[in-house]
Amino acid sequence: MAYYSIFPEKDTTIYSHPDKNLLNTGNDEILELVKEKGSNNDLYYPSRILIQFSDSHIQTAINKSNQFTASLQLFSTEHKNLSSTQDIEIYPIFRIWNEGTGRFSNNPILSDGCSWEYRNNDTLKTSWLTSEFGVGSTGSIDNSIVGYVPRGGGEWYTGSGFEVNQTLTSDTLLDINANVTSILRKYSASLYASQTYPTGIPNYGFILKYSDNIETNISGSNGDLKYFSVDTHTIFPPKLTFKWDDSIHNFQSSAKTNGELNVSLYRNKEEYKTDEEVIFRLNVRDKYPNRTFVTSSNYLNVGYFTTASYYSIRDAHTEEIIIPFDDNCTKLSADNEGMYFKIFMNGLQPERYYRLLFKHINNDGTEIFDNNYHFKVVR
């Protein structure tokens, strides 16, 4: 029943175009994968995205459950001139890089952070390399192989467990939602040591790039994929979402297997701070209870959904699905007080209102309960 999301500490786009290979875009609201035509030739030059999440935030998430799966999510904005298929590759970055404070629109360009050519800035001029670094790791594409892609463009690990691929098609939403569990497991040496990497690998973030066959196709563009960055003023910054099932299904032998139900949310303060881990509880009862003669109120009886019951969260203003109904990781739990679930508020954008929905499957079918259960997250 757990979704736990963290947001980047830094991200940027680096460009191989000859006019932009020193450009830093660390403060841009947009990240993009694009191939741009050179000004003096017919060649097309690719960009790449760098993104990093805090070590401590990752470790906090991993410590909550070692049975997690993790997804890297980037949310799309305006795309242009896309081909029918976009093949994206994601790798863990090999070396430290500086985000910088530049923007794409700076004129003259600002290069106080990493660029295609340098991983720090054009003062220290520490170049990205393109040679072998160790067991299972390589640098970026070497121009001796490709012919036109300039040296630089990042350094990353390759090999089993280090490469994640995602194919996007132009008739879909084009959000990136990539399972990076295999990479995250290599960040925690104590939990996920291996023979090849007995001490784990350091966390320098992820690099996202077009596949080699797209990058090295010098004759044409593949369009322009644009995503919101951590500097966006929207509710769609990139995030790393950890999921696991820690639901408990005791006390559900008397679950409501048929009939209409009334569901209410109680102990809802309606306003929570970002550092809170909140347990919400549901009151489940028959809408039309059988008439019986008792000495106490039916409202005091604890009612239960079946084990096939789930929660979901939407942004109350935009209707964006923040946490979907997930058959594995948003299951409702049960104890002697009734149905309950936990929300980690630091995975939600602050100063926003959210709406809770519930899904219940029993012998009568599937029912969604959407009764304007709202809460707000504040700083």
Side-chain angles (χ1 to χ4, degrees):
M1 58 178 231
Y3 265 61
Y4 186 89
S5 296
I6 61 176
F7 302 101
E9 59 180 356
K10 60 182 180 180
D11 56 23
T12 191
T13 305
I14 55 177
Y15 297 87
S16 65
H17 191 284
D19 297 335
K20 303 174 184 177
N21 63 344
L22 295 180
L23 173 65
N24 173 260
T25 64
N27 268 8
D28 255 353
E29 293 91 349
I30 298 297
L31 304 167
E32 66 175 340
L33 291 175
V34 63
K35 288 179 65 183
E36 300 176 283
K37 190 174 183 179
S39 54
N40 298 319
N41 55 50
D42 294 328
L43 305 182
Y44 286 80
Y45 296 84
S47 70
R48 294 168 182 165
I49 293 171
L50 310 182
I51 185 168
Q52 184 171 338
F53 297 83
S54 161
D55 271 334
S56 61
H57 291 171
I58 289 175
Q59 193 61 52
T60 296
I62 290 175
N63 287 344
K64 292 184 180 298
S65 173
N66 62 5
Q67 301 300 317
F68 70 87
T69 60
S71 298
L72 176 63
Q73 297 175 279
L74 281 76
F75 301 96
S76 61
T77 176
E78 182 184 11
H79 301 308
K80 297 179 181 178
N81 306 318
L82 296 181
S83 62
S84 59
T85 301
Q86 310 285 327
D87 292 320
I88 310 300
E89 298 173 348
I90 302 172
Y91 300 92
I93 298 175
F94 187 78
R95 292 186 190 273
I96 295 173
W97 52 281
N98 293 346
E99 180 183 38
T101 60
R103 300 174 66 90
F104 185 89
S105 59
N106 287 140
N107 188 13
I109 66 172
L110 187 63
S111 52
D112 67 340
C114 74
S115 61
W116 185 275
E117 189 163 340
Y118 304 122
R119 60 185 178 90
N120 40 32
N121 52 59
D122 67 351
T123 300
L124 296 177
K125 295 185 176 181
T126 306
S127 298
W128 297 105
L129 304 178
T130 55
S131 59
E132 292 287 335
F133 300 107
V135 178
S137 61
T138 68
S140 56
I141 296 175
D142 190 326
N143 66 351
S144 65
I145 300 173
V146 177
Y148 82 97
V149 177
R151 289 185 181 274
E155 302 169 25
W156 57 87
Y157 293 88
T158 62
S160 177
F162 291 107
E163 179 177 351
V164 173
N165 299 283
Q166 184 161 35
T167 298
L168 308 175
T169 57
S170 57
D171 60 350
T172 62
L173 189 60
L174 295 173
D175 288 348
I176 291 176
N177 187 8
N179 187 332
V180 293
T181 307
S182 61
I183 296 175
L184 265 294
R185 292 192 183 281
K186 292 179 169 59
Y187 285 157
S188 177
S190 61
L191 294 177
Y192 305 111
S194 67
Q195 183 176 359
T196 305
Y197 294 93
T199 60
I201 64 172
N203 165 35
Y204 298 134
F206 303 93
I207 186 167
L208 292 80
K209 59 185 286 294
Y210 279 128
S211 63
D212 288 353
N213 64 310
I214 294 176
E215 284 196 338
T216 57
N217 178 9
I218 65 176
S219 60
S221 173
N222 214 52
D224 190 354
L225 286 170
K226 291 187 177 182
Y227 297 93
F228 293 106
S229 80
V230 70
D231 298 297
T232 182
H233 298 292
T234 72
I235 63 169
F236 304 111
K239 60 183 179 180
L240 190 59
T241 298
F242 296 79
K243 299 181 289 184
W244 63 93
D245 176 16
D246 61 356
S247 57
I248 299 172
H249 301 287
N250 299 329
F251 301 95
Q252 283 170 285
S253 58
S254 59
K256 306 293 186 180
T257 57
N258 53 59
E260 294 185 67
L261 301 174
N262 272 335
V263 177
S264 59
L265 189 69
Y266 68 101
R267 298 181 186 174
N268 179 16
K269 296 190 304 183
E270 298 186 354
E271 189 169 287
Y272 302 94
K273 293 186 177 181
T274 56
D275 60 353
E276 290 189 73
E277 297 180 5
V278 180
I279 293 179
F280 289 96
R281 290 191 170 273
L282 298 179
N283 187 345
V284 179
R285 62 183 179 85
D286 291 316
K287 190 171 186 178
Y288 305 108
N290 295 325
R291 178 176 293 182
T292 58
F293 295 94
V294 295
T295 58
S296 61
S297 170
N298 285 330
Y299 290 94
L300 299 178
N301 297 332
V302 176
Y304 294 96
F305 281 145
T306 67
T307 55
S309 55
Y310 314 89
Y311 73 89
S312 175
I313 296 179
R314 293 187 181 185
D315 185 281
H317 177 68
T318 67
E319 289 299 307
E320 177 77 12
I321 297 175
I322 307 301
I323 297 179
F325 289 118
D326 186 318
D327 290 350
N328 295 315
C329 299
T330 64
K331 295 177 183 178
L332 298 177
S333 289
D335 61 13
N336 62 329
E337 293 186 51
M339 307 300 298
Y340 70 95
F341 60 100
K342 179 188 290 186
I343 299 295
F344 299 98
M345 295 298 169
N346 58 359
L348 302 175
Q349 289 289 291
E351 307 306 326
R352 303 289 302 182
Y353 284 92
Y354 298 93
R355 192 168 90 251
L356 288 163
L357 295 83
F358 306 102
K359 180 168 73 171
H360 179 224
I361 303 173
N362 64 7
N363 295 339
D364 292 337
T366 300
E367 184 172 4
I368 303 295
F369 296 89
D370 182 8
N371 296 332
N372 291 316
Y373 310 114
H374 287 86
F375 67 92
K376 183 182 181 181
V377 179
V378 298
R379 297 185 188 278

